[in-house]
Amino acid sequence: MTSNAALQPDPSPLVACTVSRDVQNFDLLIEDMETALGDGWGDLGFAEALAFIGQLDAESLEFIAMAIDEEDEENLVLLGEVIARAKARHIKVILIAEDVSPAALHQLLRTGADEFVPYPLPEGELQSAIERITGPEPEPEYTPAPTARGGHGDDREGVVIAVQGLAGGAGSTTMAVNIAWELANVAKKDETGPKVCVIDLDLQYGSVSTFLDLPRRESVYELLSDTESMDDESFQAAMVGFEGKLTVLTSPTEMLPLDLINSEDVNRILEVARRNFDYVVVDMPSTVVQWSEAILNSAHVFLAMLEMDMRSAQNALRLKRALQAEELPFEKLRFVLNRAPKGIDLNGKARVKRLAESLGISIDVQLPDGGKQVTQGADHGLPLALSAGKNPLRKEISKLAHQLHELGQNEAEAAG
Ligand SMILES: Nc1ncnc2c1ncn2[C@@H]1O[C@H](COP(=O)(O)OP(=O)(O)OP(=O)(O)O)[C@@H](O)[C@H]1O
Ligand SMILES: [Mg+2]
């Protein structure tokens, strides 16, 4: 590390600088910067950074890694200025944050930070962030993330993960958005991460776009109303990117009847999506519709979200009967109990067991109540990993994503 980059001219030009109140508070960052860049980086305070970035010496800088914690929230304006100055000089910004409020984080990302990594740094995260920002074509926010090399179908065979709430508000959109984000970030160091998209098929109350603060494109309606003319290009053009890592087909701008699309449309959409992405996460309306069957048939994993209430229990039973009557694959459903009683609550555990027994289902996943942070994060348009990385709900969803990913990889290996 080259200390005080601004003050001591160094013969070898600096490629990067950390910018923080005191870099010693972020020892993992120091380690990771050394691994990534050897001696080619320096450290700066916020005010120093503002001065230095304006200087000629800064010309070799490719990026700054701005590390902040709770205390720095008082200085949001200064932080924003540093980011803006860096952007003006085409220097990329990686934001590293520990215990920073979603509002502050959101504001800084809006100011133009290119990448966000939580602190303590997950293994390999800084390195991947550096690779992404120094790569050839960074993806601007709100543009469709290119879904394939050369923009054409990639002949992938994406895994379809459908999520449906068995009652309104059971957490389907929360699950869809967060599992997608966790899958997009599932890769280990030195691996290319899977390409992930979310398709919001809740045509009336779809809120994936709200949960990720994304605009809804007019072209979504055109796409859905004429899937026969859809191709890779028009599919991608209707999508929007989130933080360069996730691609989203939002629900349409207007509230539309659920039978705007039929099973054929759904099959076509899934086909294009699977060709272009490794994971296709579909958020479903909680109603059972004519094309639910198509989703159920195509889904590799179908997550049915329920809660510990009579409403969910009765709906689960009704859904079970309906599917069995139609000879549809009921056994595909993986029941996820949201806002499950805590592990130490023995009475709660017994109730979960009774619920599963009375419905004749197994409850495969239990998610804890994540409290207000969950709704607040969504209101700020961020997945939990970015708004409240340590939230217990996030931890469970992340675990589930890793399990699904490993399962898929093992199957792929077994298949040769
Ligand atoms: N485990 C949880 N802990 C805390 N809050 C949660 C949890 N799961 C969901 N929520 C909150 O509950 C509300 C409903 O969740 P969400 O919108 O994901 O449900 P949904 O099934 O998609 O609802 P809809 O039927 O409206 O589509 C949201 O405000 C969300 O932030
Ligand atoms: Mg929803």
Side-chain angles (χ1 to χ4, degrees):
M1 161 171 78
T2 311
S3 201
N4 282 332
L7 308 177
Q8 295 164 6
D10 191 298
S12 61
L14 295 178
V15 183
C17 273
T18 57
V19 179
S20 62
R21 210 171 62 244
D22 179 1
V23 75
Q24 299 303 334
N25 296 341
F26 298 92
D27 45 358
L28 290 175
L29 174 62
I30 300 182
E31 263 174 46
D32 284 5
M33 290 291 280
E34 265 160 19
T35 313
L37 304 167
D39 273 342
W41 62 284
D43 76 285
L44 296 169
F46 297 121
E48 267 177 325
L50 208 52
F52 178 63
I53 291 170
Q55 289 172 14
L56 273 181
D57 298 1
E59 258 171 17
S60 62
L61 268 198
E62 288 185 21
F63 70 90
I64 58 173
M66 178 184 273
I68 57 170
D69 61 22
E70 251 170 330
E71 272 184 53
D72 297 313
E73 279 190 42
E74 295 161 15
N75 282 325
L76 273 190
V77 176
L78 177 60
L79 305 187
E81 275 173 32
V82 175
I83 296 176
R85 175 106 16 130
K87 298 306 288 180
R89 306 210 88 196
H90 304 289
I91 297 167
K92 295 281 165 62
V93 181
I94 301 178
L95 193 61
I96 294 135
E98 180 172 33
D99 293 331
V100 172
S101 73
L105 205 56
H106 200 58
Q107 186 176 333
L108 294 175
L109 286 168
R110 278 273 173 273
T111 320
D114 297 279
E115 284 282 338
F116 162 78
V117 190
Y119 191 90
L121 293 163
E123 176 97 14
E125 250 329 289
L126 184 71
Q127 183 65 37
S128 342
I130 294 174
E131 279 161 19
R132 284 193 299 273
I133 57 165
T134 52
E137 273 289 273
E139 281 156 16
E141 216 184 340
Y142 290 169
T143 49
T147 53
R149 286 178 282 269
H152 292 281
D154 220 2
D155 297 327
R156 291 167 191 258
E157 281 180 57
V159 172
V160 177
I161 302 175
V163 193
Q164 174 157 17
L166 292 187
S172 137
T173 307
T174 303
M175 174 61 112
V177 163
N178 284 287
I179 195 112
W181 179 258
E182 299 296 338
L183 283 168
N185 289 283
V186 82
K188 298 201 191 79
K189 205 174 181 164
D190 302 332
E191 280 178 4
T192 15
K195 294 172 63 115
V196 184
C197 73
V198 184
I199 300 183
D200 191 347
L201 287 185
D202 190 346
L203 303 183
Q204 300 196 333
Y205 291 109
S207 40
V208 173
S209 67
T210 315
F211 280 32
L212 294 173
D213 193 17
L214 295 172
R216 296 168 194 244
R217 295 232 148 106
E218 293 290 339
S219 47
V220 174
Y221 172 75
E222 288 150 42
L223 189 86
L224 295 178
S225 49
D226 181 16
T227 59
E228 239 172 308
S229 356
M230 172 178 60
D231 56 17
D232 291 323
E233 256 101 330
S234 64
F235 179 65
Q236 291 171 34
M239 300 180 107
V240 282
F242 175 78
E243 300 294 330
K245 278 212 168 175
L246 200 60
T247 311
V248 181
L249 185 69
T250 70
S251 54
T253 45
E254 309 293 328
M255 190 185 253
L256 296 171
L258 291 172
D259 61 3
L260 172 81
I261 51 176
N262 60 27
S263 294
E264 271 185 9
D265 296 314
V266 165
N267 287 335
R268 287 194 196 107
I269 293 166
L270 290 182
E271 192 189 316
V272 186
R274 291 190 63 205
R275 193 158 68 221
N276 287 284
F277 293 91
D278 301 304
Y279 288 103
V280 179
V281 178
V282 185
D283 190 15
M284 301 275 291
S286 56
T287 350
V288 173
V289 285
Q290 184 254 344
W291 42 268
S292 298
E293 181 182 345
I295 299 280
L296 189 61
N297 284 330
S298 303
H300 299 86
V301 182
F302 196 108
L303 301 174
M305 309 287 302
L306 72 162
E307 293 189 77
M308 279 293 290
D309 56 16
M310 197 46 94
R311 206 166 63 110
S312 292
Q314 293 200 339
N315 289 353
L317 210 53
R318 290 158 67 104
L319 181 65
K320 181 179 175 181
R321 291 207 190 107
L323 295 184
Q324 287 177 337
E326 302 279 330
E327 296 189 0
L328 291 172
F330 174 72
E331 65 291 344
K332 246 193 197 172
L333 266 48
R334 289 283 159 270
F335 289 92
V336 178
L337 182 63
N338 195 7
R339 298 186 173 92
K342 291 203 177 77
I344 45 167
D345 174 0
L346 292 181
N347 180 25
K349 266 181 141 172
R351 280 191 296 139
V352 175
K353 192 159 167 260
R354 268 205 308 279
L355 174 72
E357 279 168 3
S358 67
L359 296 175
I361 60 171
S362 81
I363 291 178
D364 302 302
V365 184
Q366 297 194 29
L367 300 178
D369 192 318
K372 280 191 200 136
Q373 281 186 335
V374 178
T375 307
Q376 280 165 359
D379 279 350
H380 284 106
L382 292 170
L384 272 175
L386 299 187
S387 65
K390 292 178 188 150
N391 187 283
L393 176 62
R394 188 256 158 150
K395 286 197 183 141
E396 287 307 310
I397 298 182
S398 163
K399 224 195 271 173
L400 181 62
H402 280 88
Q403 283 166 359
L404 290 175
H405 188 61
E406 270 159 34
L407 196 75
Q409 298 228 304
N410 293 344
E411 276 174 18
E413 270 165 32

